[in-house]
Amino acid sequence: MQWPAEGPLLRNQLLRLPDTEKPSAIDKQLAMSDVWLDFNGLQGDRVADNRFHGGPDRSLCHYPADHYAHWRRLFPLLRDISPGAFGENMSTLGLDERQVCIGDRFRWGDALIEVSQPRSPCSNLDRRHDASGLARQLAKSGRTGWLYRTLEPGTVHPGAMLRLIERPCPAASVLRIWRGYMNEDLSNTELDWLTSLLPLASEYRTGFRQRLDSRRRKQDQGTLF
């Protein structure tokens, strides 16, 4: 299976968020020529905060273009948004969080990429678009997008197709992982499964493991009294 992809989308200069001194690389622009994708991201794409963006498990951000109609309806100020507005490096139609799974491997141009985690929306989206509650609504709705790690660096040309190569974890949809992340009442069985999902970024697996260990300690303590 393959999908037309709008991208590579990148920003080679940081912008200041409105009414702040905080730099941001939101609002990506379509590259006009081939771009090299390595293990840390697209060459020339700026990152404002390496703690939360870029790096081995976050080399690319993908946001479904299908979702933009929903956000235009919910936030009238967003009537002019288009791919790149939420900081994504790639956008597609017909592919969303219900279909894409952790561990999915895609060929994009010459590069091989793997889905590593849901994208965690941040409040910079609110500030950039003057849309209070936008990030919260993304999180609540599950329309988060997702991130990739780069397995094989390569050149990506504008308009390169996104081609699915392998789906080793068909039960691990991005939406399921995100719902688990947001649900504090997740069962021990589900938490245990999530901690053993090896293609999932270690940041998520560690969080699920900590929740499971904490719950089991409390359960063990309860049996002593």
Side-chain angles (χ1 to χ4, degrees):
M1 292 186 290
Q2 61 181 14
W3 296 262
E6 184 156 358
L9 300 161
L10 52 85
R11 173 157 289 284
N12 57 18
Q13 290 186 334
L14 297 178
L15 300 176
R16 297 289 178 184
L17 290 170
D19 302 320
T20 76
E21 292 299 313
K22 190 173 183 179
S24 171
I26 297 175
D27 272 347
K28 308 289 189 184
Q29 305 297 316
L30 181 63
M32 294 294 104
S33 59
D34 292 355
V35 179
W36 180 257
L37 172 63
D38 63 22
F39 295 113
N40 289 310
L42 293 166
Q43 191 172 67
D45 188 32
R46 296 293 302 276
V47 173
D49 192 335
N50 288 299
R51 294 175 300 169
F52 307 113
H53 306 284
D57 279 339
R58 300 177 299 209
S59 63
L60 285 174
C61 178
H62 186 150
Y63 197 75
D66 311 72
H67 293 337
Y68 277 123
H70 173 79
W71 301 121
R72 292 186 194 106
R73 288 192 299 270
L74 199 62
F75 294 91
L77 285 173
L78 301 184
R79 60 185 177 274
D80 295 325
I81 58 171
S82 60
F86 284 2
E88 67 269 34
N89 303 111
M90 169 196 334
S91 189
T92 52
L93 289 168
L95 195 62
D96 65 21
E97 296 83 359
R98 296 168 297 178
Q99 302 160 271
V100 174
C101 299
I102 301 300
D104 280 3
R105 293 186 174 187
F106 294 89
R107 182 69 66 179
W108 192 35
D110 296 331
L112 182 65
I113 56 179
E114 181 180 76
V115 178
S116 59
Q117 63 190 87
R119 184 250 186 101
S120 184
C122 74
S123 59
N124 286 347
L125 288 168
D126 298 31
R127 298 188 184 98
R128 175 65 190 89
H129 297 291
D130 193 23
S132 179
L134 175 59
R136 184 171 62 251
Q137 288 296 327
L138 261 75
K140 184 178 179 180
S141 69
R143 295 178 174 91
T144 60
W146 56 90
L147 304 181
Y148 296 97
R149 61 175 62 91
T150 301
L151 299 181
E152 295 177 5
T155 299
V156 182
H157 60 269
M161 299 290 288
L162 183 68
R163 182 160 56 95
L164 180 64
I165 301 298
E166 184 180 2
R167 175 162 287 163
C169 308
S173 72
V174 170
L175 184 60
R176 180 179 179 180
I177 305 310
W178 182 253
R179 294 297 189 209
Y181 177 76
M182 296 291 286
N183 181 9
E184 289 296 328
D185 297 321
L186 211 60
S187 71
N188 284 7
T189 300
E190 184 78 354
L191 282 171
D192 194 52
W193 175 74
L194 288 165
T195 63
S196 64
L197 186 61
L198 294 182
L200 182 62
S202 59
E203 175 185 355
Y204 273 79
R205 285 190 288 114
T206 298
F208 288 129
R209 170 56 64 189
Q210 290 172 343
R211 284 167 60 180
L212 183 60
D213 290 346
S214 175
R215 184 180 295 175
R216 284 175 171 166
R217 282 195 299 270
K218 290 178 181 178
Q219 290 169 344
D220 291 343
Q221 291 172 354
T223 64
L224 298 176
F225 301 97

